[in-house]
């Protein structure tokens, strides 16, 4: 009988077989974990939070909807601009508390490259779009944590 000593030996499905539905669910799980690094207890979030790190843009998290099993939030950078702050990226994220998943549902303010491969069925296109949004969220969350961003346990007044 073999014992697993570290999770580094576990096959991570979203890296092993990208763009499959199962892989997408693994990516949602990773997003949930990384969002937890920034915000702590995701089930307790309510209101608006800001993280200010020297040498980086302000990061703002705003909870827009809460229910017993899900929450919806907006996560955005505030980029300085002559006319005021520009929100980019401006991402809507749905958290599934009971399943420990976080899904990037919509992303505004980001220019994306057109797909370089032929378009498939509607379901394949939807899966591809979800994959791209959630890979971006995953990498952005990791980047924010590396830059030192954290949200306090109390929302702004």
């Amino acid at each position: 009988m073999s014992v697993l000593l570290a999770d580094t030996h576990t096959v991570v499905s979203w890296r092993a077989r990208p763009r499959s539905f199962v892989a997408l669910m693994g990516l949602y799980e990773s997003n949930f974990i990384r969002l937890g690094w920034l915000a702590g207890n995701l089930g307790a979030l309510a209101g608006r939070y800001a993280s200010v790190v020297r040498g980086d843009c302000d990061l703002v998290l705003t909870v827009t909807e809460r229910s017993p099993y899900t929450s919806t939030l907006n996560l955005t950078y505030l980029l300085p601009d002559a006319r005021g702050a520009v929100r980019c990226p401006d991402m809507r994220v749905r958290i599934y508390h009971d399943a420990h998943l976080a899904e990037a549902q919509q992303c505004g303010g980001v220019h994306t490259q057109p797909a370089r491969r032929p378009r498939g069925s509607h379901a394949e296109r939807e899966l591809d779009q979800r994959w791209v949004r959630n890979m971006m969220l995953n990498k952005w969350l990791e980047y924010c944590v590396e830059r030192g961003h954290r949200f306090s346990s109390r929302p702004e007044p």
Side-chain angles (χ1 to χ4, degrees):
M1 181 169 119
S2 118
V3 176
L4 184 63
L5 299 176
D7 66 353
T8 57
H9 300 292
T10 304
V11 175
V12 180
S13 63
W14 62 269
R15 288 190 178 140
R17 297 176 317 148
R19 298 195 184 268
S20 69
F21 178 76
V22 173
L24 185 62
M25 293 303 106
L27 184 55
Y28 288 3
E29 182 180 14
S30 180
N31 288 343
F32 183 90
I33 292 166
R34 290 171 190 238
L35 191 55
W37 294 345
L38 278 175
N41 180 0
L42 300 179
L45 293 175
R48 183 180 189 272
Y49 303 81
S51 175
V52 179
V53 172
R54 186 178 182 160
D56 199 18
C57 299
D58 294 354
L59 183 65
V60 177
L61 182 151
T62 307
V63 177
T64 59
E65 182 183 322
R66 286 186 47 85
S67 72
Y69 302 105
T70 64
S71 296
T72 303
L73 58 89
N74 280 51
L75 187 65
T76 190
Y77 259 146
L78 298 179
L79 304 175
D81 185 58
R83 298 163 296 190
V86 174
R87 297 174 167 271
C88 185
D90 189 18
M91 192 167 282
R92 184 176 68 213
V93 179
R94 171 70 52 95
I95 301 169
Y96 302 91
H97 300 289
D98 54 342
H100 293 175
L101 303 174
E103 172 192 11
Q105 293 187 313
Q106 185 177 29
C107 185
V110 176
H111 175 72
T112 57
Q113 295 284 337
R116 295 185 181 185
R117 59 188 171 129
R119 293 289 194 178
S121 69
H122 175 73
E124 290 170 323
R125 287 192 309 270
E126 180 65 26
L127 187 62
D128 282 345
Q129 291 169 0
R130 288 175 186 230
W131 186 264
V132 168
R133 278 193 311 266
N134 283 280
M135 279 300 293
M136 182 187 163
L137 174 62
N138 195 268
K139 292 182 181 301
W140 185 33
L141 291 171
E142 184 175 11
Y143 174 79
C144 290
V145 168
E146 287 176 358
R147 296 290 296 167
H149 283 286
R150 300 291 184 283
F151 295 110
S152 72
S153 60
R154 294 186 174 169
E156 293 183 335

